[in-house]
Amino acid sequence: MKKLRVCLAASGGGHLRQLVQMLPFARKHDYYFLTEATPLGLSLAKDHPARFVPHFAFGQRETDGFLKFAWAGISNFFASIWHFIVMRPDVVISTGAGAAFFTLVLAWATRRKVIYIESIARVESISMFGKLSARFADLYLVQWPGLVSQHPKAVYCNPFCQSEAPAHAKAHKLFATVGTVLPFDRMINSVHQLMQEGVITETVVAQTGESDIAPEGIEVHKTLPQDDMDRHLKESGIAIVHGGSGSMLGAIRAGCAVIAMPRRHDLGEHYDDHQFELVGAFRDQGLVFEARDVDSLREAIKAAREGKGKSVEIDPNAYARFIEGFLEGKPPVQS
C-alpha cells in the first residue's frame, strides 16, 4: 500500500481517546490529528502531529442556545476549510463528533476516502452525528452488533479483549472525573455527601470540568493533563466516573474498581440519555458498577470494595485490519 496522508479527526474528549486506537494503522503513513484544544488534545500534540479547530457540537443548540451554536459552527467551518487546504489529506478517519463534521464533508466533496467509526458509546442506537456522517462515509464501522441492522452501510468491528483485572498496589484514594468539558455537579455533590456520612473514607481527588464547585475535603481540579489523570487513576482503588466511554475505559485499564454514573438529559446534564445504554452494556459485562443517584452510589461503593473486577482492552489491530482491507479494495467482513 502506498504511503498516504491520513487525517485522524475527532472532538477533544472520549471521541479522541477512541481515535488514538487508530495509531497502529496511521503510523504506517503520514498522519496527523485534527481535534480541539482540550487538555487531552494538547497532551496528545506533545507526541504526535496535530492541528486544532474550534469546539463545535450539535448538542450546543440545547446547552448554549442557537446563537452560540451557530457561531461555533461558522468558526469551525472556516477553520476546517483552511486546515484542508493546507494539509490535503488523502484519507479522513473519524470517530466523531461535531468538531470533525465539516472535515468529513470536505473530504467527501473532494473525493477523499472517508472512514467513520461510530462511537463506542452508542450501544443500541446510532448517534445523530453517525446518521449525518453515514452519507459521507466510504467505510462505516460500528462497535456493537446491535447497530448493524440500523444502517445499510454499517459493518460490525469487535475491538474488545477481556481479562481479569490486573493487580496494582493502590493508595487509600478515590478519584472522581466528569470528563473533559461538561460539569456534572450532581455526581460530585453525591461523592461529598457520602464523605460526610463516612461511607467514603478515602482521600478524594476530583476533576470537575467547567464548574465552580469545590466541596470541602475534596482536592478539586477543573481540568487535568492526561499524564496527571493517568497518575491519579493508577493510585486510586476506586474511580467514580461519568458514563463516558473514555472515562470508563481509562479507569478500567488503570485497575480501578469503577463506578459509573450516567448523565441525565432531563436534568440538563447531557443532550440525550445515551450514557444509560453504554453504562448498562459495561455493567452487564462486569466491567463497572452502576450508580444513578446518591443512594445507588452508596451501594455501588460497598459492592466495588467487595467485588473482583475485570479488565478490557481495545485491540487496535481490529480496526487496522478493516481499514487496510478497505483501502486495498477488499470487501469488509463482519467480526
Side-chain angles (χ1 to χ4, degrees):
M1 186 185 301
K2 70 175 184 178
K3 198 168 187 178
L4 303 168
R5 175 162 285 188
V6 177
C7 171
L8 302 170
S11 57
H15 294 279
L16 182 57
R17 286 192 181 94
Q18 293 176 54
L19 197 59
V20 172
Q21 306 297 330
M22 302 304 115
L23 280 172
F25 164 78
R27 283 193 173 112
K28 299 176 184 178
H29 301 275
D30 177 16
Y31 77 94
Y32 65 96
F33 285 92
L34 180 78
T35 186
E36 304 165 336
T38 60
L40 177 59
L42 294 170
S43 294
L44 197 68
K46 295 177 183 177
D47 300 312
H48 305 277
R51 296 184 70 90
F52 298 107
V53 291
H55 173 69
F56 173 57
F58 295 115
Q60 283 180 283
R61 289 174 300 175
E62 295 188 27
T63 58
D64 296 337
F66 180 77
L67 290 179
K68 287 187 176 180
F69 163 75
W71 177 249
I74 292 168
S75 301
N76 182 277
F77 174 69
F78 284 106
S80 299
I81 289 177
W82 178 246
H83 140 258
F84 214 85
I85 292 172
V86 171
M87 299 303 292
R88 297 181 179 274
D90 299 304
V91 180
V92 174
I93 302 174
S94 179
T95 50
F101 180 71
F102 292 117
T103 294
L104 264 65
V105 175
L106 289 165
W108 170 79
T110 54
R111 299 191 177 183
R112 269 63 167 184
K113 295 296 185 182
V114 177
I115 298 168
Y116 177 67
I117 303 169
E118 177 64 295
S119 171
I120 201 169
R122 292 293 175 168
V123 179
E124 299 175 3
S125 58
I126 291 175
S127 66
M128 178 172 66
F129 185 91
K131 292 174 182 175
L132 291 171
S133 300
R135 66 169 300 176
F136 309 116
D138 299 294
L139 177 63
Y140 188 89
L141 299 178
V142 295
Q143 301 180 76
W144 296 95
L147 297 184
V148 173
S149 61
Q150 295 199 21
H151 199 281
K153 282 188 176 182
V155 177
Y156 174 48
C157 173
N158 179 12
F160 291 109
C161 300
Q162 280 196 34
S163 62
E164 292 299 316
H168 293 295
K170 297 286 190 177
H172 192 61
K173 178 176 176 178
L174 183 151
F175 183 58
T177 174
V178 306
T180 56
V181 181
L182 296 174
F184 193 6
D185 290 357
R186 181 169 64 90
M187 189 184 91
I188 302 300
N189 284 328
S190 296
V191 170
H192 185 239
Q193 179 177 331
L194 297 184
M195 290 173 65
Q196 292 179 312
E197 292 178 10
V199 174
I200 294 175
T201 58
E202 292 88 348
T203 299
V204 177
V205 179
Q207 179 268 317
T208 60
E210 295 301 318
S211 172
D212 293 325
I213 193 169
E216 184 179 356
I218 298 179
E219 179 186 326
V220 169
H221 305 270
K222 287 188 176 182
T223 62
L224 282 168
Q226 190 62 38
D227 289 347
D228 289 346
M229 289 278 288
D230 293 341
R231 174 176 57 83
H232 285 303
L233 287 169
K234 188 174 181 180
E235 293 172 352
S236 299
I238 295 176
I240 300 176
V241 306
H242 80 128
S245 57
S247 294
M248 287 193 289
L249 286 168
I252 291 166
R253 290 193 191 107
C256 301
V258 182
I259 301 169
M261 181 178 284
R263 296 173 182 268
R264 287 174 52 178
H265 171 64
D266 64 325
L267 297 179
E269 295 166 349
H270 216 321
Y271 54 81
D272 65 15
D273 282 327
H274 77 269
Q275 287 195 350
F276 284 89
E277 296 177 13
L278 183 61
V279 171
F282 274 57
R283 178 204 62 217
D284 292 346
Q285 294 186 51
L287 298 171
V288 304
F289 300 93
E290 183 177 9
R292 298 193 175 190
D293 52 32
V294 68
D295 291 327
S296 55
L297 179 60
R298 186 184 294 108
E299 297 305 312
I301 289 171
K302 294 176 183 176
R305 290 199 176 113
E306 297 170 358
K308 185 176 181 181
K310 294 180 180 178
S311 181
V312 64
E313 291 291 338
I314 301 296
D315 176 13
N317 291 314
Y319 308 105
R321 286 190 292 270
F322 271 91
I323 294 169
E324 288 171 354
F326 162 71
L327 293 175
E328 291 171 358
K330 299 175 183 176
V333 178
Q334 304 280 357
S335 290

